[in-house]
Amino acid sequence: MGNGKETEVKQIREVTVRFAGDSGDGMQLTGTQFSDTTASVGNDLSTLPDYPAEIRAPAGTLYGVSGFQLHFSSNDIFTPGDKPDVLVAMNPAALKKNLPDLKPGAMIIVNTDSFDKKNLALAGFESNPLEDGTLSGFEVYDVPITTLTFNALEDVDLSTKDKARSKNFFALGLMYWLFERPLDTTLNWLREKFKNKPELIEANEKALRAGYNFGDITERFTTRYKIEPAKLPAGTYRNISGNEATAWGFIAASVRSGLPLFLGSYPITPASEILQFLSKYKNFNVRTFQAEDEIAGITSAIGAAFAGNLAITTTSGPGLALKTEAIGLAVMTELPLVIVDVQRGGPSTGLPTKTEQADLLQALYGRNGEAPVGVVAAATPSDCFHMAIEASRLALEFMTPVILLSDGYLANGSEPWKIPHVDELPEIKVKFLTEPEGFKPYARDENLVRPWVKPGTPNMEHRIGGLEKANITGNVSYDPENHHQMVTIRAQKVKNMQKVIPDLEVDGDKEGDLLVLGWGSTYGAIKEGVERARRKGYKVSQAHLKYLNPFPKNTGEVLSKFKRILLPEVNMGQLAKVLKSEFLHHGIIQFNLVRGLPFRSTEIEEKIIELLGGGNNGQ
């Protein structure tokens, strides 16, 4: 094999890799291919894509750096890793931006061809870090990736620009060799992606194999790394992102409810992919409408709900603000509607490609008048599938809007997803009223839910609109007592969801000194941080809220069993504010970091140890 040299194969349990380069260097594609291949060999994994906020940031600048981090292991993992063990840096800016995040002694693979005077200056380096000792604490491999790519593509009939674009596949091939990954998944993807452009298949395949062979034949690399498959529950798995899982969840809810699916939406980062994914599935009776603005997106969905569809609209924080009056209209008309908010850094345009959890209060209260809606939140990328189904179920069964909170970290991150059998999915009961005898538009069942009548049903005409309705008859009413009654009914109807949502579960002791409570995408970092603290002997429990309005009916009881509650949030304490008001618990300790990034598990672990006294309290 190769030049006959012995290459040590070192078995390791886990590794965190980060690919970084210019936004035009294809780092997201490289990371996605590495992730899909890693999933195919059975490792557990978690990813964190990091996009530049500028659409066309100047090449070679820190603002233009695009990154993709991947944490994979032979054990269960819950985060994309805290600090990379390996950095692939395609230019000086990528190196400079990511250098502070690396573990001591981390491996750095750099494309030396990009380290010229111009790129060094753009990145703010006064001297070449490959030569001045800046990287003395790291294991550095300087590889002329661009030159080697051009050498491999010498006989390929492509422009110089197109050949240069293949250098990311050289880097990918080298990483496949380093971590004993097969090429098949990427080769199959290339042949499908460029089936009408054989010259691009040839170029990228040659670059991929050249990178792999470089690792094999060069004497620079003396060690390869092997990570055994994770012991995951038996089943069929695929790698899935949060946005893709959300789209699939809505398709599953459509099938389980027997309703056609309608999405009315306006593209907005980082939610646009849900619209793109769903537009491909017309064969599942999915209709997608790209509206001219956010208001048209949600009002078209309200119309679809009136007509008897499973109706959804997708957006991010700025779009949710524009949808608020229409959400109130859906509350008033008591029609089922799911609003997906993939949260991003704010306020205003804020950090459109970064993550945040700062729309919770907006989801709970951000409307004029008393306009309560159900609010649920996904915890992981694959959990977006299940929570999309749950949001749909609650909206349909209670005839009310439900907001599903995701965020940029979940939306763009990915992990292995065990594909469920259809029988494992909840049945969603939908009943349209068709008998006109005794029909009253706002008559109510035991959960205060009004009947759903499709327009055009003979002899069942009824008013619809934003003016207050008289209870039972649905006539327009300005009566003060009726308004108070209807406001109370609509609030109680949402509260009645507690009857059908699961209790809040505690992982660990059911009572004690410290509970780490979270919601949304903090789940993974909390899970790993708690487990690390437990391995050091600390007694700490964990609970995670997926239902935020209403809370699970046992929430107050769970919180009362713990002296202190550590509540990490990627905002300034929004859930903490609600819990303090709702349950009057005086032991809630806020832990707030708003950086456009998810929490690191080490940050949670350190905070737990700080609160429990720093010494081992588990013995």
Side-chain angles (χ1 to χ4, degrees):
M1 180 177 177
N3 61 1
K5 67 182 177 64
E6 278 297 321
T7 302
E8 178 191 0
V9 177
K10 183 177 181 181
Q11 186 131 353
I12 56 177
R13 187 174 64 86
E14 61 182 327
V15 68
T16 299
V17 173
R18 185 180 294 177
F19 297 93
D22 245 357
S23 55
D25 284 339
M27 294 296 94
Q28 302 303 321
L29 174 59
T30 306
T32 299
Q33 285 300 309
F34 195 89
S35 300
D36 289 347
T37 295
T38 295
S40 74
V41 300
N43 295 132
D44 197 10
L45 63 92
S46 179
T47 70
L48 177 61
D50 185 19
Y51 303 90
E54 304 293 333
I55 295 174
R56 290 181 179 173
T61 65
L62 297 179
Y63 291 108
V65 174
S66 178
F68 190 104
Q69 184 162 307
L70 168 72
H71 180 202
F72 58 105
S73 174
S74 56
N75 291 17
D76 286 349
I77 57 172
F78 304 95
T79 73
D82 288 350
K83 291 179 174 291
D85 302 285
V86 181
L87 171 67
V88 178
M90 300 297 282
N91 65 6
L95 176 64
K96 183 162 190 176
K97 183 174 181 180
N98 292 286
L99 198 57
D101 293 341
L102 300 181
K103 289 180 181 177
M107 178 188 297
I108 303 175
I109 299 172
V110 294
N111 177 18
T112 52
D113 289 326
S114 65
F115 279 67
D116 55 25
K117 288 185 179 180
K118 177 184 176 183
N119 282 323
L120 289 169
L122 284 169
F125 282 117
E126 296 182 1
S127 59
N128 192 333
L130 304 180
E131 301 169 352
D132 63 10
T134 299
L135 307 181
S136 58
F138 301 98
E139 183 182 352
V140 182
Y141 295 92
D142 49 326
V143 181
I145 292 175
T146 306
T147 298
L148 292 171
T149 301
F150 275 102
N151 291 345
L153 305 186
E154 187 176 2
D155 298 329
V156 179
D157 186 19
L158 280 178
S159 67
T160 300
K161 185 177 181 180
D162 285 336
K163 287 181 180 181
R165 286 175 174 164
S166 298
K167 64 181 180 291
N168 63 323
F169 273 75
F170 184 98
L172 180 61
L174 175 56
M175 293 298 286
Y176 279 164
W177 177 84
L178 191 63
F179 289 101
E180 294 199 328
R181 314 279 97 175
L183 305 182
D184 296 352
T185 299
T186 296
L187 291 175
N188 291 336
W189 178 86
L190 280 171
R191 290 159 190 166
E192 177 62 26
K193 176 72 173 177
F194 300 114
K195 57 187 175 185
N196 297 321
K197 297 180 178 179
E199 69 280 3
L200 294 182
I201 297 175
E202 180 186 10
N204 286 297
E205 184 172 332
K206 282 190 171 183
L208 184 72
R209 294 188 186 278
Y212 192 95
N213 292 334
F214 177 80
D216 191 22
I217 64 177
T218 184
E219 296 184 3
R220 295 291 311 281
F221 296 89
T222 58
T223 305
R224 300 176 76 187
Y225 299 92
K226 184 177 181 64
I227 298 177
E228 294 290 343
K231 295 177 176 62
L232 300 172
T236 302
Y237 287 81
R238 59 161 293 176
N239 193 39
I240 198 166
S241 71
N243 274 345
E244 191 172 12
T246 301
W248 275 105
F250 285 125
I251 294 173
S254 171
V255 172
R256 294 298 279 171
S257 65
L259 298 177
L261 176 62
F262 177 88
L263 168 63
S265 189
Y266 180 73
I268 182 171
T269 302
S272 302
E273 285 181 333
I274 302 172
L275 171 62
Q276 294 164 11
F277 283 130
L278 284 176
S279 68
K280 301 175 183 177
Y281 294 105
K282 295 180 179 67
N283 57 315
F284 280 99
N285 208 7
V286 174
R287 298 180 184 89
T288 54
F289 169 55
Q290 182 173 322
E292 68 270 20
D293 57 37
E294 295 283 1
I295 297 171
I298 187 171
T299 51
S300 68
I302 292 172
F306 181 50
N309 294 266
L310 170 55
I312 61 176
T313 187
T314 53
T315 192
S316 188
L320 187 64
L322 294 171
K323 293 180 189 288
T324 54
E325 184 181 0
I327 295 173
L329 173 62
V331 171
M332 177 63 75
T333 56
E334 298 191 44
L335 287 169
L337 175 69
V338 179
I339 305 106
V340 181
D341 175 13
V342 186
Q343 301 165 96
R344 72 189 204 188
S348 187
T349 308
L351 304 172
T353 62
K354 310 299 180 184
T355 197
E356 206 161 276
Q357 287 186 300
D359 294 350
L360 177 59
L361 294 181
Q362 182 183 13
L364 291 171
Y365 309 118
R367 291 163 294 283
N368 66 295
E370 293 288 340
V373 301
V375 180
V376 299
T380 69
S382 62
D383 188 48
C384 290
F385 173 82
H386 300 285
M387 295 314 292
I389 296 174
E390 273 293 87
S392 302
R393 180 179 73 91
L394 293 172
L396 292 169
E397 292 184 5
F398 287 84
M399 290 289 287
T400 191
V402 172
I403 294 176
L404 169 58
L405 293 173
S406 175
D407 60 40
Y409 167 40
L410 296 182
N412 297 316
S414 64
E415 64 182 354
W417 172 53
K418 182 184 176 185
I419 301 173
H421 191 277
V422 66
D423 293 341
E424 299 173 41
L425 304 179
E427 182 183 358
I428 300 177
K429 300 172 184 176
V430 174
K431 181 182 178 183
F432 292 103
L433 193 63
T434 57
E435 293 298 325
E437 185 176 351
F439 167 60
K440 300 292 183 184
Y442 283 79
R444 302 184 182 276
D445 66 12
E446 66 278 6
N447 287 323
L448 303 178
V449 177
R450 81 172 186 90
W452 198 1
V453 179
K454 290 185 182 180
T457 306
N459 302 313
M460 301 184 74
E461 298 85 356
H462 58 286
R463 289 182 176 85
I464 205 81
L467 291 174
E468 181 63 279
K469 307 294 183 292
N471 191 31
I472 309 300
T473 68
N475 296 329
V476 173
S477 173
Y478 295 98
D479 177 74
E481 296 306 318
N482 176 78
H483 180 56
H484 177 81
Q485 182 183 18
M486 292 296 278
V487 165
T488 304
I489 286 172
R490 289 189 289 261
Q492 186 59 47
K493 183 174 67 166
V494 173
K495 185 75 171 176
N496 287 342
M497 290 179 184
Q498 284 187 329
K499 299 178 183 180
V500 299
I501 64 175
D503 283 349
L504 178 62
E505 295 183 359
V506 177
D507 177 8
D509 294 339
K510 308 309 177 191
E511 56 184 295
D513 184 46
L514 183 63
L515 172 73
V516 186
L517 181 68
W519 71 275
S521 62
T522 57
Y523 173 79
I526 292 173
K527 179 74 173 175
E528 285 194 2
V530 165
E531 288 189 354
R532 287 179 180 180
R534 285 174 179 167
R535 286 196 291 268
K536 293 180 179 179
Y538 292 92
K539 289 183 178 178
V540 56
S541 301
Q542 178 187 2
H544 207 76
L545 285 164
K546 294 185 183 182
Y547 300 86
L548 298 161
N549 193 40
F551 291 118
K553 58 182 179 292
N554 70 327
T555 303
E557 179 185 356
V558 168
L559 301 185
S560 69
K561 298 291 181 64
F562 293 89
K563 294 178 184 177
R564 292 181 292 177
I565 297 163
L566 175 62
L567 182 48
E569 295 185 78
V570 189
N571 59 45
M572 293 305 291
Q574 295 190 12
L575 180 60
K577 185 186 296 290
V578 176
L579 292 179
K580 288 174 183 177
S581 171
E582 184 85 10
F583 301 107
L584 303 177
H585 196 296
H586 300 294
I588 294 176
I589 301 165
Q590 296 180 206
F591 186 19
N592 307 117
L593 295 173
V594 193
R595 305 169 297 190
L597 296 169
F599 273 92
R600 295 178 176 139
S601 56
T602 50
E603 292 167 336
I604 306 292
E605 176 193 4
E606 289 166 2
K607 192 69 175 179
I608 291 169
I609 293 172
E610 174 192 325
L611 291 173
L612 292 177
N616 187 323
N617 76 335
Q619 302 298 323

